[in-house]
Amino acid sequence: MKILLPHFLLFFLSLVATLVSPEYTRPDPRPLIFRPHNRSESEPQQVHISLAGKDHMRVSWITSDKKVKSVVEYGKTPGKYEASATGERNSYKYFFYSSGEIHHVKIGPLDPSTMYYYRCGGYGPEFSFRTPPSDFPVEFAVAGDLGQTEWTSSTLSHVGAKDYDLFLLPGDLSYADTNQPLWDSFGRLVEPYASTRPWMVTEGNHEIETFPIIYPHGFKAYNARWLMPHQESGSASNLYYSFDVAGAHIIMLGSYTDFDSNSDQYKWLQGDLGRIDRKKTPWVLVLIHAPWYNSNVAHRGEGESMRKAMEKILYEARADVVFAGHVHAYERFTRVYDNKADQCGPVHVTIGDGGNREGLAMLFDNPSPSISMHREPSFGHGRLRIVNSTHAHWSWHRNNETNAHMADEIWLESLSSSTPCNKINISLKSSNDEL
């Protein structure tokens, strides 16, 4: 029996996968990639950039040499730096591990849709990035639960093979899980991509890294390494924040910090939603980690308490799309609110299929619930191209061996342009004002 059981399980999983997508055979997990440090102690490593308020970018990197200054030189011509900025540095310890010097430098103001060349700390190679556009069209690449396996590398290569403006990651970055050198390896793995386009991330459960009594609060490495524009968006925590790009307002929420109606995150979200001008940002996107809607067997119901706390205010604000990770598969729902199809609710997309070491979540409910439009346990990434103030194209691209195959797509209409939804929204606001 000990010999037959694994073969039976493999057969069963293969059968389920075939029923979900008969034309495609599920890939096996692939091994971990560990990227060693191969530059000098003074040279920058793990370089990544993120948006940091209007017309500004934050450049982050690590050096082994503690004497390197937190300075970024930058300009529009290779090798010619007309400007420079000085920032801050930090480091942290986790048991016997000591991080390098972590530098964060905010540069700008920068022109939109412009290539900039930059150097970190006065040493090492020159990097370059392109700033996002100031208006439509704008394209987001989206993938969650990346990790650092050969499938991760495949996902990133497919993302980089086609142009985009920003990368959105709904949690679970390195899968270090307290093994701190894996944070360094992850930073080196993603550097070729994260140093050229802004990476905007939110935390997942694998970023928590608590340890009783010694490290009770968690997110020590995540907060030190991946500084996001929380201060620029009025948030007191790096675990939730928002930003604008082109005509879209993006809200990054924290699934693993307090979110009930008395919490700081909830109160911040209320204020942030109240400041949105849909004439300037007609699209509103939201990222979480634990999905609120999920027909996969994995992680069933883990986002339910957050959904009950926050779904209503996002619905009333007419959020267009909610992206989630956590479940290692792809699933797209129709517009939904309170577990029912609703033309004025957001489209929910689970995209926790970036390539993590834990493998795919193979089992879905059968039959599929009526609100689930497409689902598949495969590694891949998504692309949201917002064409104008009213229409956007969403596509999901499955990882094949040598290319990314588009396996799902849909055109979306912004809720800000929907007359029926705007009428309902006015009625809801009036009712709330009376209360």
Side-chain angles (χ1 to χ4, degrees):
M1 190 66 179
K2 291 182 179 179
I3 297 174
L4 293 176
L5 182 59
H7 290 287
F8 169 74
L9 287 175
L10 286 173
F11 171 77
F12 178 69
L13 292 176
S14 298
L15 178 62
V16 171
T18 302
L19 291 173
V20 173
S21 182
E23 78 285 358
Y24 184 64
T25 301
R26 289 296 144 256
D28 292 325
R30 289 185 174 178
L32 178 76
I33 295 174
F34 184 84
R35 290 292 172 89
H37 181 33
N38 57 10
R39 296 178 187 155
S40 73
E41 292 190 352
S42 299
E43 290 183 304
Q45 58 163 308
Q46 307 176 49
V47 179
H48 61 268
I49 61 173
S50 55
L51 299 180
K54 182 176 173 56
D55 302 327
H56 285 72
M57 196 79 74
R58 179 173 286 110
V59 181
S60 302
W61 76 97
I62 294 178
T63 58
S64 301
D65 186 349
K66 299 182 183 298
K67 297 179 182 178
V68 174
K69 295 181 179 180
S70 301
V71 174
V72 171
E73 303 164 280
Y74 61 100
K76 298 178 182 179
T77 304
K80 186 177 181 181
Y81 311 121
E82 298 95 355
S84 66
T86 301
E88 61 188 47
R89 68 171 69 192
N90 65 68
S91 61
Y92 72 94
K93 293 181 181 296
Y94 194 91
F95 290 104
F96 300 109
Y97 171 88
S98 296
S99 75
E101 293 295 298
I102 305 171
H103 306 263
H104 299 292
V105 179
K106 187 173 176 178
I107 64 175
L110 305 171
D111 296 328
S113 301
T114 301
M115 187 69 73
Y116 283 89
Y117 301 86
Y118 65 104
R119 187 171 64 172
C120 304
Y123 293 93
E126 178 179 80
F127 299 89
S128 64
F129 65 79
R130 191 186 68 210
T131 52
S134 59
D135 202 352
F136 304 118
V138 61
E139 184 160 332
F140 303 88
V142 190
D145 299 68
L146 271 182
Q148 44 192 311
T149 70
E150 290 180 0
W151 279 119
T152 309
S153 183
S154 173
T155 298
L156 292 174
S157 66
H158 294 327
V159 168
K162 185 174 179 289
D163 197 18
Y164 62 99
D165 298 300
L166 285 93
F167 186 82
L168 302 177
L169 202 168
D172 282 358
L173 284 69
S174 70
Y175 281 75
D177 294 320
T178 74
N179 185 0
Q180 297 304 301
L182 287 179
W183 275 108
D184 295 311
S185 175
F186 176 79
R188 298 179 197 118
L189 175 67
V190 304
E191 182 189 86
Y193 308 93
S195 62
T196 62
R197 295 291 185 273
W199 273 41
M200 311 306 293
V201 306
T202 189
E203 82 282 2
N205 55 300
H206 287 275
E207 277 73 66
I208 298 175
E209 298 186 311
T210 54
F211 193 88
I213 301 175
I214 302 174
Y215 300 113
H217 302 299
F219 305 106
K220 192 176 185 69
Y222 173 79
N223 284 333
R225 294 168 182 269
W226 290 84
L227 180 60
M228 293 290 114
H230 66 282
Q231 292 181 334
E232 290 84 351
S233 57
S235 167
S237 171
N238 194 49
L239 303 180
Y240 52 89
Y241 63 96
S242 67
F243 62 96
D244 292 339
V245 59
H249 183 73
I250 294 90
I251 301 170
M252 314 289 278
L253 295 178
S255 296
Y256 300 96
T257 186
D258 291 343
F259 46 70
D260 61 70
S261 59
N262 294 317
S263 67
D264 290 340
Q265 180 176 202
Y266 187 95
K267 294 173 183 176
W268 169 84
L269 177 59
Q270 280 185 311
D272 188 76
L273 293 172
R275 290 187 291 271
I276 297 175
D277 183 349
R278 295 302 281 264
K279 293 180 179 179
K280 293 181 179 179
T281 54
W283 290 87
V284 174
L285 313 177
V286 180
L287 274 76
I288 57 178
H289 185 62
W292 295 354
Y293 292 92
N294 172 30
S295 71
N296 197 290
V297 173
H299 301 300
R300 181 67 57 83
E302 291 183 18
E304 181 65 5
S305 57
M306 189 179 188
R307 183 191 70 81
K308 289 181 177 179
M310 290 185 161
E311 185 179 30
K312 183 179 180 181
I313 58 174
L314 290 182
Y315 175 76
E316 292 177 351
R318 295 294 179 256
D320 292 288
V321 184
V322 177
F323 293 109
H326 202 36
V327 177
H328 302 160
Y330 171 73
E331 185 167 19
R332 173 176 58 84
F333 290 84
T334 188
R335 292 196 175 278
V336 62
Y337 173 63
D338 196 22
N339 289 295
K340 297 182 290 291
D342 190 311
Q343 64 175 338
C344 301
V347 171
H348 282 255
V349 178
T350 298
I351 191 158
D353 55 357
N356 62 87
R357 60 175 165 75
E358 295 177 340
L360 294 166
M362 304 289 286
L363 302 179
F364 285 96
D365 286 345
N366 191 14
S368 173
S370 61
I371 57 174
S372 179
M373 299 291 101
H374 187 100
R375 55 189 191 167
E376 181 177 320
S378 296
F379 295 119
H381 77 280
R383 288 177 179 267
L384 180 68
R385 181 172 179 80
I386 303 181
V387 179
N388 53 38
S389 62
T390 61
H391 288 84
H393 181 256
W394 166 255
S395 58
W396 176 68
H397 303 257
R398 176 202 300 142
N399 285 3
N400 285 346
E401 292 294 333
T402 58
N403 67 311
H405 172 74
M406 186 171 70
D408 183 39
E409 65 174 326
I410 185 174
W411 280 94
L412 302 173
E413 182 180 354
S414 64
L415 293 179
S416 65
S417 66
S418 169
T419 300
C421 294
N422 286 329
K423 287 181 178 179
I424 295 173
N425 200 24
I426 291 171
S427 177
L428 284 170
K429 285 184 177 179
S430 299
S431 298
N432 289 336
D433 289 342
E434 290 175 4
L435 292 174

